[in-house]
Amino acid sequence: MLPTIDEALKELKIAEELNPGPWVKHSINTGIAAKNIAEKVPGMDSKKAYIIGLLHDIGRRVGVVNIPTHVYEGYKYCMEKGWNEVARICMTHSYLLMQKEFDYEPESENEKAIKDYIMNCEPDDYDKLIQLCDSLAVDYGFVILEKRFVDVTRRYGIMEGYIKGWEVAFEIKEYFEARMGCSIYDVLPDIGKTTLLTPKPWKPPVK
């Protein structure tokens, strides 16, 4: 089950009041990228792609949190709403390596729950699409993958497994381009301009 587009946009507005930050515009742009790509892929529902893109980071409504926390908070929130298709994306969007992400035993309850879910989940086209679009969308528009990877690394530093995730992102890019018959960059508005911008990495405000 999915919310309507109006419901999804309303949820983002409420979430922005709870936890202001560039993540909201990033979410909107992720939705736009997902919709534009899905429109070019035979058999994909661009409306669904837009909605799940809009809400993939909705777990950030609880505050400035780490990856496992926003993933699991988003999953729980969407399940409570009955939006199981969005809840799935909340779980899968940050884990491009899927099962290979968890070659360790998590300590936190959130990560244990995420691992249990991911280990029993086979990524479909919508999981892959949002994983890709999450790496294409920034708060000020759209950028090529390489630029986004640098942006994330500037904010968080290099972590083990990052480069393997990048490789998966490029594979997903090629997968969708083969089905679209064109570059994903052809359908992302003003990407040539925004890719050349170099804003300083966002950091959460000090309380």
Side-chain angles (χ1 to χ4, degrees):
M1 183 177 173
L2 289 168
T4 65
I5 291 173
D6 286 344
E7 286 173 329
L9 291 170
K10 183 178 179 181
E11 285 292 338
L12 271 184
K13 186 173 182 179
I14 294 170
E16 185 173 28
E17 292 172 357
L18 294 171
N19 178 29
W23 74 271
V24 177
K25 288 183 179 178
H26 156 74
S27 296
I28 292 171
N29 287 332
T30 298
I32 292 170
K35 176 177 71 71
N36 289 3
I37 292 172
E39 285 175 348
K40 291 282 190 177
V41 178
M44 291 201 79
D45 182 340
S46 61
K47 180 180 176 181
K48 174 179 176 177
Y50 182 43
I51 292 168
I52 60 177
L54 288 173
L55 296 180
H56 76 284
D57 265 350
I58 196 64
R60 295 191 183 278
R61 69 194 303 280
V62 303
V64 179
V65 291
N66 60 19
I67 289 175
T69 301
H70 94 269
V71 163
Y72 194 54
E73 288 295 330
Y75 171 79
K76 289 193 300 180
Y77 184 72
C78 291
M79 288 300 288
E80 289 169 3
K81 292 280 191 178
W83 301 334
N84 59 301
E85 292 176 273
V86 184
R88 174 187 172 107
I89 296 301
C90 288
M91 278 290 211
T92 61
H93 77 273
S94 288
Y95 298 98
L96 280 82
L97 298 178
M98 294 299 286
Q99 290 87 353
K100 292 179 181 178
E101 295 270 6
F102 295 97
D103 57 355
Y104 66 96
E105 191 56 44
E107 295 182 1
S108 73
E109 292 305 311
N110 285 352
E111 281 192 284
K112 288 178 182 177
I114 294 167
K115 178 179 180 179
D116 287 344
Y117 189 95
I118 296 293
M119 294 304 287
N120 293 288
C121 181
E122 186 65 30
D124 63 18
D125 282 352
Y126 292 97
D127 296 308
K128 294 174 184 177
L129 179 63
I130 304 306
Q131 288 171 346
L132 176 65
C133 293
D134 193 22
S135 295
L136 295 168
V138 289
D139 60 300
Y140 53 90
F142 308 96
V143 296
I144 63 173
L145 290 176
E146 292 89 341
K147 177 66 176 287
R148 176 70 166 149
F149 296 153
V150 170
D151 175 63
V152 173
T153 302
R154 287 177 72 194
R155 277 189 284 150
Y156 300 113
I158 281 284
M159 297 186 208
E160 188 175 353
Y162 262 20
I163 295 176
K164 290 180 181 178
W166 298 348
E167 293 294 342
V168 173
F170 284 117
E171 290 172 5
I172 296 173
K173 172 181 177 289
E174 292 168 3
Y175 169 75
F176 280 112
E177 287 177 335
R179 298 184 64 191
M180 294 167 70
C182 65
S183 170
I184 58 170
Y185 301 137
D186 290 343
V187 300
L188 301 179
D190 296 321
I191 189 169
K193 294 179 181 179
T194 49
T195 287
L196 296 176
L197 299 177
T198 54
K200 291 183 179 179
W202 180 82
K203 294 185 182 298
V206 178
K207 295 183 179 180

